[in-house]
């Protein structure tokens, strides 16, 4: 796994308490993984702290899947 | 280990509003002296009120000022959501009735005039370390210390600067290097009206939201015996805010026109006040960093929000208690790490409340016949379930050093 994907994977597991589940890039954050808008803010803040990049509310509302989140972060400068 | 506070660590708080005063008081309670620099020549507040919820009142009780505050406050009888034109009650929950709110959240819900709140906080501080007439105009590094320059020509040095200087914060500009306040696209009329001038108002002692097309009106009683009603009427627009301050001139007609056709209780309330200004509602976009070196921001400076959950002042009080408690456990060598742990404790919570307040705006401003109305009515009927997390929060408990971290 690329470093950004690994960080996303870890953060999603921790916040979503998804310990033993596989998180595919196509997994939908809300429908498949059960994140609501408040839990997604926890995800955003943890990713920001880990990567030093902003994940604004608009992006958070736009992204649908774990893969799209990774794409966004890479586009804005994550490894 | 050198103690935090004078003379080892000089703490300067910029801004003597709700956040700055609460912080100074909480630090003093913990044996840490700080200096507060406030631009105003006197601690007088603009004529408006604030609603204090349990997440703040439990802290004010710990600070020993809640009795003073209670004497000037009114606890709403109920929380009611109404429809704009026919005044239909869409949902209602007891607040003071049966002490339902206190029993659930462990502390009261108070409406209070801001001047009374400031008097209670400032009175408890008894002038210690409070420097009025000090408007910060410049901030720079001076070796290990920070230098603050004031408009009155004075300068001081401090080892830790806390910016509690509100939505247009200058300390924030030092911390982030930019201007992060954003006009929300909404503005408000506000006023305080003696309750006996509101004969049409049903449930005058309740906190009520009147929800209508592109606007809403929120009001609650204040003043010890509920003798005054504070209202806050929010409208969509104007589209842009070119004014240098958050107030812009309006005519009485503009204020009345914004609520023409609403329930008589609403037009009566708006018409009971001479409107000369409207308030632009500003927010601060979620920031990555609340600190730079030994300067940190809190309150509106860090996370100003639209006021639809009435949580700006309450989250500011949470910030102040959290930081004071952390400093009382801190050491001088670890200040910068302490400040990043502080934002680590506060950033997610305040961003959630900021977002939730913003989303609430749209919920409150639906036009009649909108397909979203049924969902709105369902949501306002779930208020305690959906928003209990805001009120149940215990900032002091959240700031306790965890066993694994405090070993350092
Ligand atoms: C219309 C309106 C209604 C509101 N209603 C509610 C409500 O019901 N409930 C609620 O919880 N919140 C409410 N809020 C929000 C609440 O008022 C703020 O969140 C709260 O006051 C923030 O506290 P603060 O200490 O961060 O900033 P402020 O209270 O704004 O204090 C900042 C202080 O810093 C001083 N200052 C600024 N710049 C300088 C400088 N350069 N040098 C020195 N001093 C400076 C100012 O004079 C001021 O005293 C409302 C806000 C508005 C605009």
């Amino acid at each position: 796994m690329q470093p950004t994907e690994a960080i996303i994977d870890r953060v999603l597991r921790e916040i979503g308490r998804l310990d033993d589940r596989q998180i595919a890039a196509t997994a939908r954050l809300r429908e498949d993984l059960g994140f609501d808008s408040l839990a997604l803010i926890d995800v955003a803040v943890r990713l920001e702290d880990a990567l030093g990049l902003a994940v604004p509310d608009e992006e958070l509302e736009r992204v649908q899947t774990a893969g799209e989140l990774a794409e966004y972060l890479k586009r804005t400068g994550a490894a | 280990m050198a103690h935090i506070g004078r003379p080892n660590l000089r703490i300067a708080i910029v801004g003597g509003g709700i956040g700055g005063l609460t912080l100074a008081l909480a630090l003093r309670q913990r044996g840490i002296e700080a200096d507060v620099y406030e631009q105003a020549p006197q601690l007088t507040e603009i004529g408006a009120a604030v609603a204090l919820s349990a997440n703040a009142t439990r802290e004010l009780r710990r600070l020993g000022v809640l009795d003073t505050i209670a004497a000037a406050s009114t606890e709403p009888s109920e929380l009611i959501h109404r429809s704009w034109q026919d005044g239909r009650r869409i949902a209602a929950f007891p607040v003071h009735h049966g002490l339902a709110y206190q029993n659930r959240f462990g502390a009261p819900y108070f409406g209070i005039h801001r001047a009374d709140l400031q008097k209670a906080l400032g009175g408890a501080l008894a002038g210690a370390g409070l420097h009025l007439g000090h408007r910060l105009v410049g901030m720079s590094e001076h070796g290990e210390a920070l230098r603050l320059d004031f408009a009155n020509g004075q300068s001081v040095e401090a080892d830790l600067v806390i910016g509690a200087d509100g939505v247009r914060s200058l300390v924030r500009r030092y911390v982030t290097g930019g201007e992060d306040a954003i006009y929300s696209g909404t503005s408000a009329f506000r006023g305080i009206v003696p309750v006996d001038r509101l004969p049409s108002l049903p449930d005058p002692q309740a906190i009520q939201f009147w929800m209508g097309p592109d606007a809403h009106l929120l009001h609650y009683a204040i003043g010890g015996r509920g003798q005054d009603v504070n209202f806050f009427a929010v409208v969509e627009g104007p589209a842009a805010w070119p004014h240098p301050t958050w107030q812009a001139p309006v005519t009485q007609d503009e204020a009345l026109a914004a609520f023409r056709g609403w329930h008589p209780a609403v037009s009566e309330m708006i018409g009971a006040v001479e409107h000369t200004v409207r308030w632009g509602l500003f927010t601060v976009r979620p920031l990555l960093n609340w600190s730079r070196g030994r300067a940190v921001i809190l309150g509106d400076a860090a996370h100003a929000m639209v006021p639809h959950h009435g949580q700006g002042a309450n989250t500011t009080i949470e910030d102040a208690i959290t930081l004071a408690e952390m400093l009382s456990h801190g050491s001088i060598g670890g200040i910068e790490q302490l400040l990043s742990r502080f934002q680590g404790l506060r950033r997610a919570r305040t961003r959630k409340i900021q977002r939730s307040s913003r989303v609430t705006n749209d919920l409150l401003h639906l036009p009649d016949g909108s397909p979203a109305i049924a969902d709105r009515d369902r949501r306002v009927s779930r208020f305690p379930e959906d928003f209990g997390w805001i009120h149940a929060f215990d900032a002091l408990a959240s700031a306790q050093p965890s066993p694994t971290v405090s070993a350092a």
Side-chain angles (χ1 to χ4, degrees):
Chain A
M1 232 184 305
Q2 304 293 310
T4 305
E5 276 88 352
I7 291 170
I8 292 177
D9 193 77
R10 175 167 55 77
V11 169
L12 289 178
R13 263 171 217 292
E14 279 176 24
I15 307 269
R17 302 208 178 89
L18 302 169
D19 308 323
D20 45 6
R21 286 175 54 182
Q22 278 283 344
I23 303 178
T26 52
R28 291 172 304 172
L29 299 167
R30 297 165 187 82
E31 298 84 346
D32 300 332
L33 302 177
F35 288 95
D36 64 14
S37 54
L38 296 182
L40 284 176
I41 289 181
D42 282 321
V43 169
V45 168
R46 289 283 282 282
L47 290 173
E48 289 181 343
D49 287 342
L51 298 165
L53 295 169
V55 185
D57 284 358
E58 309 84 78
E59 283 306 322
L60 206 54
E61 275 150 36
R62 191 188 57 79
V63 297
Q64 298 297 321
T65 63
E68 285 176 27
L69 191 54
E71 260 170 51
Y72 168 74
L73 289 169
K74 287 183 181 170
R75 214 171 344 112
T76 56
Chain B
M1 183 167 70
H3 173 72
I4 287 184
R6 274 196 304 254
N8 305 316
L9 185 98
R10 297 159 296 175
I11 300 177
I13 300 169
V14 181
I18 293 170
L21 293 178
T22 305
L23 177 63
L25 202 56
L27 285 172
R28 157 97 74 75
Q29 193 184 38
R30 289 160 175 78
I32 301 172
E33 296 300 325
D35 289 287
V36 180
Y37 299 95
E38 165 60 43
Q39 64 182 1
Q42 266 162 10
L43 275 193
T44 48
E45 250 298 342
I46 34 176
V50 52
L52 299 171
S53 51
N55 44 323
T57 52
R58 83 175 91 257
E59 304 305 341
L60 296 167
R61 183 161 60 205
R62 287 166 174 154
L63 288 177
V65 292
L66 194 61
D67 289 345
T68 316
I69 287 169
S73 298
T74 302
E75 185 166 60
S77 53
E78 292 175 276
L79 164 67
I80 304 173
H81 282 83
R82 290 182 189 271
S83 184
W84 65 289
Q85 205 167 29
D86 59 12
R88 176 172 52 92
R89 281 166 78 115
I90 293 164
F93 299 97
V95 179
H96 188 69
H97 282 168
L99 296 181
Y101 182 87
Q102 301 194 28
N103 288 339
R104 178 166 182 151
F105 297 113
Y109 192 101
F110 282 155
I112 185 170
H113 198 289
R114 290 173 66 114
D116 289 328
L117 175 60
Q118 209 164 43
K119 225 184 286 167
L121 295 170
L125 209 55
L130 183 58
H131 309 271
L132 299 170
H134 280 65
R135 181 161 65 84
L136 182 73
V137 290
M139 210 173 142
S140 51
E141 279 159 38
H142 232 236
E144 285 279 271
L146 286 161
R147 180 185 148 128
L148 303 178
D149 298 314
F150 298 99
N152 62 12
Q154 296 188 30
S155 298
V156 296
E157 278 192 11
D159 305 302
L160 169 60
V161 173
I162 298 155
D165 48 346
V167 63
R168 290 282 170 89
S169 171
L170 193 68
V171 180
R172 182 181 64 230
R173 217 161 297 160
Y174 174 84
V175 168
T176 70
E179 174 50 84
D180 304 289
I182 304 167
Y183 170 57
S184 67
T186 55
S187 60
F189 304 99
R190 52 202 250 187
I192 295 176
V193 186
V195 70
D196 52 23
R197 287 182 56 200
L198 300 169
S200 313
L201 181 63
D203 300 304
Q205 297 298 315
I207 176 167
Q208 304 198 75
F209 286 88
W210 298 74
M211 307 182 286
D214 286 337
H216 77 274
L217 178 134
L218 162 69
H219 67 82
Y220 48 84
I222 59 171
R225 289 170 291 111
Q227 62 270 43
D228 293 315
V229 168
N230 173 74
F231 75 84
F232 185 61
V234 178
V235 297
E236 296 289 326
W241 194 268
H243 317 284
T245 69
W246 58 356
Q247 288 183 33
V250 283
T251 63
Q252 186 72 356
D253 243 25
E254 285 175 278
L256 293 175
F259 290 87
R260 195 154 286 147
W262 285 55
H263 188 277
V266 172
S267 7
E268 179 179 86
M269 200 178 293
I270 303 277
V273 170
E274 197 62 48
H275 295 278
T276 55
V277 294
R278 66 158 80 195
W279 300 72
L281 300 182
F282 283 77
T283 63
V284 170
R285 65 181 178 84
L287 302 174
L288 261 187
N289 288 307
W290 289 15
S291 67
R292 168 178 158 196
R294 286 181 170 195
V296 65
I297 49 177
L298 57 70
D300 272 15
H303 52 69
M305 53 187 73
V306 284
H308 310 321
H309 280 331
Q311 284 297 326
N314 295 307
T315 50
T316 296
I317 290 170
E318 291 178 9
D319 287 347
I321 297 298
T322 304
L323 185 56
E325 182 67 8
M326 293 179 77
L327 286 169
S328 75
H329 294 292
S331 67
I332 287 182
I335 289 289
E336 293 182 19
Q337 295 89 317
L338 186 151
L339 297 183
S340 66
R341 272 186 285 127
F342 166 66
Q343 77 164 52
L345 279 181
R346 300 300 304 158
R347 236 157 52 82
R349 174 165 168 84
T350 51
R351 183 165 166 185
K352 285 177 196 172
I353 300 176
Q354 278 183 305
R355 177 186 185 279
S356 186
S357 309
R358 174 164 57 77
V359 175
T360 297
N361 184 75
D362 303 338
L363 201 67
L364 295 172
H365 292 187
L366 295 175
D368 280 357
S370 158
I373 289 231
D375 181 54
R376 175 198 77 186
D377 292 357
R378 194 181 49 77
R379 292 229 222 160
V380 299
S381 308
R382 294 182 36 84
F383 209 85
E385 292 85 350
D386 286 355
F387 299 115
W389 61 275
I390 295 178
H391 301 250
F393 187 75
D394 187 327
L396 182 64
S398 81
Q400 296 314 308
S402 67
T404 45
V405 184
S406 68

